[in-house]
Amino acid sequence: MENSDNKDSLKRDRRDFIKTTGAVALAGAGLVLAGKVIADSGSGDTETGKLTTHLLPKLPYAYNALAPYIDEETMTLHHSKHHQAYVDGLNKAESELARMRASGDYTLIEYWSKKASFNGGGHALHSLFWSILAPASTGSLKGQGGIPPEGALLQKIVEDFGSFENLKKQFSEAAIKVEGSGWAVLAHRKSDNRLIIHQIENQHKLSSFDETPILVLDVWEHAYYISYRNKRADYVNAWWNIVNWMAVSKNLG
Ligand code: MN
């Protein structure tokens, strides 16, 4: 009886310790997606391993900077509510997995592994999405948005798709025809050094693993419904005006 009480007490202490350490973000290498740091490394030295505190990245432009192609209210909700929810969901899922390591009770491992995958995909894809957009070059802000790709990136596009127009057509069709909620992705596949386009359902399904995404388009309704209602194709066609190909080029490396 006494041993059992001590064991329970030890488990509680471990859990409290995990809670505390999980809440503290320390400087470190961080999680890197296409060259962008999107998370701080957590602290180490726990019995159950390191926890990361994932953070909502700041936008490199104002919420109204992408109008009229993406309106201010959509940007505000999308970044501060939807993306934040994926960040919170990923932190929660990874903290629950750490709890399992502490307790040895893996009953809910399937549930929390799925949550980690869904929210982790959401966090990574949204972080990349914000980073490859910019105010339109034709608008009052005169940003980089919509200036066509040049140099090595354009060469690679022509090599792998025939032309920039071919890439846009295939990417648009992939985006418009995602079943339900998801994404279109342009990725660099390392094994044969070529660019590929594919769809993602939800935040994480249908992904290919031998690739680095360099351009992504969110086609969840939350990304466009306020301005475009049910007209996803209009949103996709308008979106090309705010793609920052300079940023995409940097992602190609
Ligand atoms: Mn989204």
Side-chain angles (χ1 to χ4, degrees):
M1 196 61 171
E2 195 183 313
N3 282 346
S4 169
D5 283 344
N6 284 344
K7 202 175 163 194
D8 285 348
S9 165
L10 184 60
K11 276 185 193 171
R12 275 196 301 277
D13 288 344
R14 282 180 183 169
R15 284 173 190 162
D16 288 342
F17 183 56
I18 290 162
K19 264 189 207 164
T20 308
T21 53
V24 179
L26 298 178
L31 172 61
V32 177
L33 179 80
K36 308 279 187 310
V37 176
I38 59 173
D40 281 354
S41 292
S43 57
D45 300 333
T46 71
E47 287 180 51
T48 55
K50 219 161 42 168
L51 267 182
T52 296
T53 302
H54 300 278
L55 305 170
L56 182 69
K58 285 196 167 62
L59 292 184
Y61 37 73
Y63 283 136
N64 63 3
L66 304 181
Y69 305 105
I70 303 181
D71 66 88
E72 182 175 1
E73 188 182 6
T74 296
M75 284 300 296
T76 307
L77 292 170
H78 199 175
H79 178 256
S80 71
K81 303 296 182 189
H82 291 281
H83 188 170
Q84 182 68 59
Y86 300 120
V87 171
D88 295 344
L90 178 58
N91 284 327
K92 170 74 174 166
E94 292 190 341
S95 147
E96 291 297 330
L97 290 167
R99 257 174 216 275
M100 283 179 214
R101 293 194 291 277
S103 69
D105 179 357
Y106 285 94
T107 308
L108 294 178
I109 191 165
E110 184 183 1
Y111 178 81
W112 286 112
S113 295
K114 283 182 180 175
K115 289 289 182 191
S117 178
F118 173 80
N119 288 287
H123 179 34
L125 288 170
H126 283 91
S127 298
L128 179 57
F129 183 54
W130 310 130
S131 77
I132 52 86
L133 299 180
S137 61
T138 51
S140 57
L141 294 175
K142 303 205 184 307
Q144 294 291 324
I147 299 175
E150 300 171 349
L153 175 59
L154 179 60
Q155 262 184 8
K156 195 81 193 94
I157 288 169
V158 172
E159 187 182 320
D160 295 339
F161 296 97
S163 69
F164 179 48
E165 284 310 309
N166 283 352
L167 174 145
K168 283 175 72 176
K169 179 68 179 161
Q170 184 181 337
F171 190 94
S172 293
E173 289 291 324
I176 291 163
K177 291 174 181 165
V178 169
E179 184 178 40
S181 300
W183 298 74
V185 175
L186 175 67
H188 179 242
R189 188 169 59 200
K190 289 172 204 142
S191 59
D192 60 352
N193 183 32
R194 69 156 292 157
L195 299 173
I196 54 169
I197 291 169
H198 65 87
Q199 299 176 319
I200 289 181
E201 289 178 2
N202 281 348
Q203 306 290 0
H204 58 319
K205 294 178 182 173
L206 306 183
S207 59
S208 156
F209 291 95
D210 177 25
E211 65 172 52
T212 304
I214 63 171
L215 173 74
V216 291
L217 171 54
D218 189 341
V219 292
W220 282 58
E221 286 185 348
H222 69 222
Y224 63 86
Y225 209 80
I226 292 172
S227 284
Y228 297 91
R229 297 301 176 191
N230 60 318
K231 295 175 181 162
R232 185 191 284 182
D234 289 356
Y235 159 68
V236 170
N237 291 330
W239 174 80
W240 292 109
N241 290 292
I242 49 170
V243 173
N244 183 352
W245 289 100
M246 299 271 282
V248 177
S249 175
K250 282 178 192 155
N251 291 341
L252 186 58

